[in-house]
Amino acid sequence: MDIVFGIDIGGTDIKIGKFYGNELVYKTSIKTDKEDNGSKIFTQVFSIIDELKGEDNLIGIGIGVPGPVLNNAIVSSKNLGWDKVDVLQIVKEKYPNVAIKILNDANAAALGEMVKGGAKGYNNFIFITLGTGIGGGIVINGEVVEGNTGSAGEIGHIRVGFNNERLCKCGLYDCVEQYSSATGIVKTANNLRIGRKTKLNEIEVTAKNVFDLAKIGDEVALEAVNNFIEKLATALAAVTNTINPEVIVVGGGVSKAGDFLIERLEKRFNELCFFTVRGTKFALAKLGNDAGMYGTNYIVRKMINENKCL
C-alpha cells in the first residue's frame, strides 16, 4: 500500500506518523538528539522510517521543523542547533524517488487543524500555539502563507511592550511570547508574587498552576493571567486587522486552560481590534501533538495530487 510519513521534529521530541491516505495508522515519538548541532536527528528519523515502512510503498515524507523554512529546503532552527541546513537535499539523498515537503512546524500544525481539527471547515484562519514559546500559522484560501523568507506567521515576535523589559531569544525585546507563553506567564507571576499574599508562594509556579489559581480567585494569579491576556489580545488584534480571518484557533499546552482562557481572550480582543473584525470566532485546537503529523501528511499528498513533487 502507498504510504506517507508525517514527521514533526521538535526541540524535545520527534513525532512520526505513518499514513494510509488521510488515516494515521501508526505513530511513535523519540527524544530529539541535539548533540553535534543536531546532526544526529536525520539518522534518528531515517531509522524510524525504515523500521516502520515494512513492505509498503513509500511515496512521500513531510517534515515540520521549529524554524523558518526557505524554499522548501533551507532550515535555520536555534532549537535544533541548525544554521541554514538543507534538509530537503539531505532527505532526498536518502529517499531519491519520494515526494518531500519541509515546512515550519506551526504551519504544519495549522494545516493539520484545518484537515481534522479545530479549523476544519474554515479556509481563512490564524493558528497560534501557546507553549514554551509562541508559534503561529496563517492560512488564506486553504493555503498556508509561508512568506518571502519562510517567516510568515511569526506571531510570537510581535512587539507588545516598549520599555525593553524582557529580552527574547530572537534578540529583540518585549516580543509577545515573552509575556503570553508558558514561560512568559511564569515570569510575570514570579514578579507579581513577591511580598504579596498568594498561593503561588506555596507551590511551584507553572503556567497550569497560575491558571488554576486564577480560576478560584487568587488575586495575584488573576493579575498574571490578565497581563497574559492583554499582551496576547494586542498581538492577535494586530494580525486580525491585517488579514481578517474567519477564526483564530488556539493550541499548545497553555490552551488546556480552555474556556477560562478563550472567553477572556475573546472579550479583550474585541475591545482592541478594528470594529469591522469584531466578532472573529475563537476556537480551541483539537489534535494536540498530532497536528503536525496530519499537516505534513496533507501537504505531501496535495503535492503528489497536483504533480508538484520535489
Side-chain angles (χ1 to χ4, degrees):
M1 183 173 289
D2 290 343
I3 60 168
V4 167
F5 280 99
I7 300 167
D8 183 3
I9 300 178
T12 302
D13 299 299
I14 301 172
K15 295 166 280 292
I16 300 176
K18 180 178 178 178
F19 288 83
Y20 292 156
N22 292 320
E23 182 185 359
L24 178 60
V25 295
Y26 186 85
K27 65 179 180 179
T28 188
S29 66
I30 54 176
K31 293 295 181 184
T32 308
D33 188 342
K34 293 184 285 187
E35 290 186 8
D36 299 326
N37 293 322
S39 63
K40 298 179 181 180
I41 290 173
F42 299 106
T43 301
Q44 290 183 284
V45 170
F46 297 160
S47 176
I48 296 295
I49 290 175
D50 292 342
E51 178 185 342
L52 297 181
K53 176 180 173 294
E55 299 300 318
D56 290 313
N57 179 39
L58 178 60
I59 62 171
I61 299 171
I63 302 178
V65 293
V69 179
L70 181 61
N71 298 327
N72 186 37
I74 309 299
V75 177
S76 296
S77 176
K78 292 183 179 180
N79 286 343
L80 301 178
W82 290 354
D83 182 21
K84 297 182 179 179
V85 175
D86 193 337
V87 177
L88 179 62
Q89 182 61 32
I90 293 170
V91 180
K92 266 295 183 187
E93 288 178 0
K94 173 68 175 177
Y95 304 101
N97 300 313
V98 170
I100 299 168
K101 177 66 176 178
I102 315 298
L103 70 167
N104 170 267
D105 58 352
N107 289 340
L111 291 173
E113 290 293 335
M114 181 181 74
V115 172
K116 198 178 176 66
K120 188 173 183 179
Y122 297 102
N123 289 317
N124 301 282
F125 64 92
I126 296 168
F127 174 70
I128 186 166
T129 59
L130 307 176
T132 303
I134 292 180
I138 296 171
V139 173
I140 302 295
N141 295 328
E143 301 283 348
V144 68
V145 178
E146 295 186 283
N148 184 53
T149 62
S151 301
E154 289 289 351
I155 297 169
H157 298 286
I158 295 175
R159 193 179 187 198
V160 292
F162 303 97
N163 297 316
N164 291 349
E165 293 178 4
R166 297 187 186 180
L167 178 64
C168 185
K169 289 182 179 179
C170 75
L172 301 175
Y173 282 90
D174 296 338
C175 296
V176 65
E177 79 167 30
Q178 292 302 309
Y179 297 89
S180 301
S181 62
T183 51
I185 196 170
V186 167
K187 288 179 184 177
T188 301
N190 278 329
N191 289 338
L192 292 174
R193 70 188 177 94
I194 298 173
R196 299 174 66 181
K197 184 178 179 180
T198 171
K199 288 286 186 180
L200 290 170
N201 289 329
E202 303 172 13
I203 60 174
E204 180 185 3
V205 179
T206 65
K208 180 182 185 302
N209 286 340
V210 173
F211 273 97
D212 286 347
L213 287 175
K215 289 176 183 179
I216 60 175
D218 185 282
E219 183 178 333
V220 174
L222 190 56
E223 188 176 337
V225 168
N226 288 340
N227 179 276
F228 175 106
I229 295 293
E230 181 70 20
K231 302 295 189 184
L232 184 56
T234 297
L236 289 177
V239 181
T240 304
N241 289 351
T242 305
I243 67 170
N244 192 16
E246 300 169 88
V247 64
I248 299 170
V249 180
V250 183
V254 180
S255 71
K256 293 179 181 179
D259 291 342
F260 181 84
L261 165 64
I262 294 299
E263 289 173 2
R264 283 162 175 75
L265 179 58
E266 186 173 6
K267 179 178 183 298
R268 187 57 180 146
F269 166 86
N270 282 316
E271 293 169 349
L272 296 174
C273 68
F274 190 58
F275 72 95
T276 57
V277 301
R278 290 174 193 157
T280 300
K281 296 178 182 178
F282 279 73
L284 287 167
K286 295 181 179 179
L287 296 181
N289 290 332
D290 291 350
M293 293 185 291
Y294 275 98
T296 49
N297 172 67
Y298 163 81
I299 198 66
V300 169
R301 291 186 181 277
K302 185 172 185 290
M303 285 171 52
I304 293 172
N305 291 337
E306 295 175 353
N307 293 314
K308 294 180 179 179
C309 301
L310 296 174

